[in-house]
Amino acid sequence: MFDSRHLRTFHAVVDKGSFSAAARELGYTQPAVSQQMRALERTAGTPLFTRVGRVLKPTDAGHMLFRHAVDILSSLSAAEEQIATVRRLRSGRVRLCTFPSAGATIIPAAVARLAEEHPGIRVELVETEPPDSLCALRRGECDVTLAFDYRPGPAEPPEETADDLVTVPLLDDRVVVVLPRGHPLRRRHRVHLADLAEERWIAGCSHCRGHFVRACADAGFEPDIAFTTDDNLAVQSLVAAGAGVAFMPGLVLSCLRHPGVAGRPVEPAAHRRVTAYTLREYERIPATRLLLRVLEETSRRLARDGCEGTSGVVGLAPPAAAPPPSR
């Protein structure tokens, strides 16, 4: 196996015509150049130079190796330059998996900032709901995934994946009840879940529906689920038509609101935690690390604007007592 350092020195020797001239070009001593050329000839198994008087000439094998050395060194130089552009965040690719409401709120702002500050970074976006999105990350189908969970206590990934993942808490998304515009409880600033025990309900995705059913059980009733759909606009349209009421994360209403509905915080308060995940080995990649930071800062700004009421974002807040990202 040829050593690239020896090939560089060999190229300089042939190009400059002598060991001493190559040494001056490379900043080496002449004995160091001679030693490298002897090592290269041992690797090649044949002489690479002949000397006629003071003239140093490549042998046939030397000429052949020189032609290949030019291509090899050119390829190595191109590879070094390309890797440098990735390291300096001039280029790179990150595959991002997200769920729909984050894809309509957090992601556009984050991608716009990346495009402005690092136009060479390419973000490829796919949409998958948790827990499938975490499985996609483990299968290597994406580099970063956004997911949510409703479990009590601090946000954390599923136990079976916790050791493999870096977790970055993004925001707490307060769940609201979606009511028709003419509903009498619309006049309240907050709605107690128990006051909706007699209502018909429109349920969403299975992950959200499981949390909703548990919340109703804690409030002392079993909900009458009249319709089930994963389509957030369809849920709101059914509510607007008077077909029922719905549980919905505030992040959804911040990007998609039917004019015929109103969202009100529900008591007891319910939240879903939005978290970014990547594999520990992926976090070492500069573009992935950059995207995590931008997602974190974008979410913090969305939460702050939501709390200040400046952007129409419903029920967003920084992660409650958020620990430092698990890195």
Side-chain angles (χ1 to χ4, degrees):
M1 180 70 68
F2 292 117
D3 188 317
S4 62
R5 295 171 301 170
H6 295 169
L7 289 178
R8 291 185 191 279
T9 303
F10 171 73
H11 183 278
V13 169
V14 176
D15 186 55
K16 299 300 178 183
S18 70
F19 288 178
S20 57
R24 289 192 297 272
E25 173 75 14
L26 298 173
Y28 294 161
T29 64
Q30 182 172 333
V33 172
S34 298
Q35 183 180 9
Q36 287 194 39
M37 292 304 92
R38 286 195 297 270
L40 184 60
E41 287 183 326
R42 286 195 300 270
T43 302
T46 185
L48 299 174
F49 299 100
T50 60
R51 186 180 293 276
V52 180
R54 295 185 178 183
V55 179
L56 187 69
K57 293 185 177 181
T59 62
D60 288 345
H63 279 296
M64 186 179 298
L65 181 59
F66 181 76
R67 290 194 297 271
H68 286 292
V70 170
D71 293 338
I72 291 169
L73 294 175
S74 177
S75 296
L76 285 173
S77 179
E80 289 170 355
E81 179 60 31
Q82 290 173 13
I83 290 171
T85 64
V86 171
R87 186 176 64 248
R88 296 167 189 159
L89 294 172
R90 294 177 188 159
S91 69
R93 180 188 70 146
V94 187
R95 299 166 300 164
L96 175 61
C97 182
T98 186
F99 55 95
S101 55
T105 51
I106 301 171
I107 302 306
V111 168
R113 177 176 167 184
L114 276 177
E116 180 180 356
E117 298 179 2
H118 300 277
I121 301 297
R122 176 185 178 90
V123 178
E124 297 180 358
L125 190 64
V126 294
E127 186 177 289
T128 308
E129 294 276 2
D132 292 342
S133 55
L134 285 167
C135 294
L137 179 64
R138 293 292 303 277
R139 290 193 300 266
E141 296 172 1
C142 60
D143 305 306
V144 175
T145 190
L146 267 62
F148 60 85
D149 71 278
Y150 289 97
R151 292 193 307 276
E156 56 183 2
E159 291 182 3
E160 66 273 13
T161 63
D163 291 342
D164 302 282
L165 299 183
V166 173
T167 65
V168 181
L170 298 183
L171 54 80
D172 279 353
D173 185 10
R174 184 161 189 173
V175 177
V176 298
V177 61
V178 182
L179 306 168
R181 282 288 181 182
H183 198 286
L185 294 181
R186 175 177 169 271
R187 299 184 182 91
R188 298 185 185 179
H189 293 295
R190 284 178 169 76
V191 176
H192 287 274
L193 186 56
D195 292 340
L196 299 167
E198 301 303 318
E199 298 282 349
R200 291 193 304 170
W201 291 86
I202 295 97
C205 74
S206 59
H207 197 31
C208 298
R209 186 162 60 249
H211 165 72
F212 161 64
V213 171
R214 289 192 298 272
C216 292
D218 291 342
F221 70 95
E222 181 179 347
D224 176 13
I225 299 176
F227 302 95
T228 299
T229 175
D230 292 347
D231 188 324
N232 289 315
L233 182 56
V235 170
Q236 294 185 46
S237 297
L238 287 165
V239 172
V245 298
F247 238 30
M248 186 166 284
L251 200 61
V252 174
L253 290 185
S254 73
C255 64
L256 179 68
R257 185 194 293 270
H258 191 290
V261 305
R264 292 293 180 268
V266 67
E267 296 292 347
H271 296 262
R272 70 173 185 176
R273 292 176 295 270
V274 180
T275 306
Y277 300 94
T278 190
L279 293 175
R280 294 191 182 280
E281 60 189 275
Y282 290 171
E283 196 205 15
R284 299 168 53 204
I285 301 172
T288 300
R289 192 163 57 247
L290 172 67
L291 179 60
L292 288 172
R293 177 172 61 80
V294 171
L295 287 170
E296 191 173 14
E297 293 171 358
T298 300
S299 299
R300 189 182 304 123
R301 185 171 64 253
L302 280 173
R304 183 187 64 241
D305 291 347
C307 291
E308 294 172 355
T310 59
S311 67
V313 179
V314 180
L316 303 184
S326 170
R327 296 190 170 102

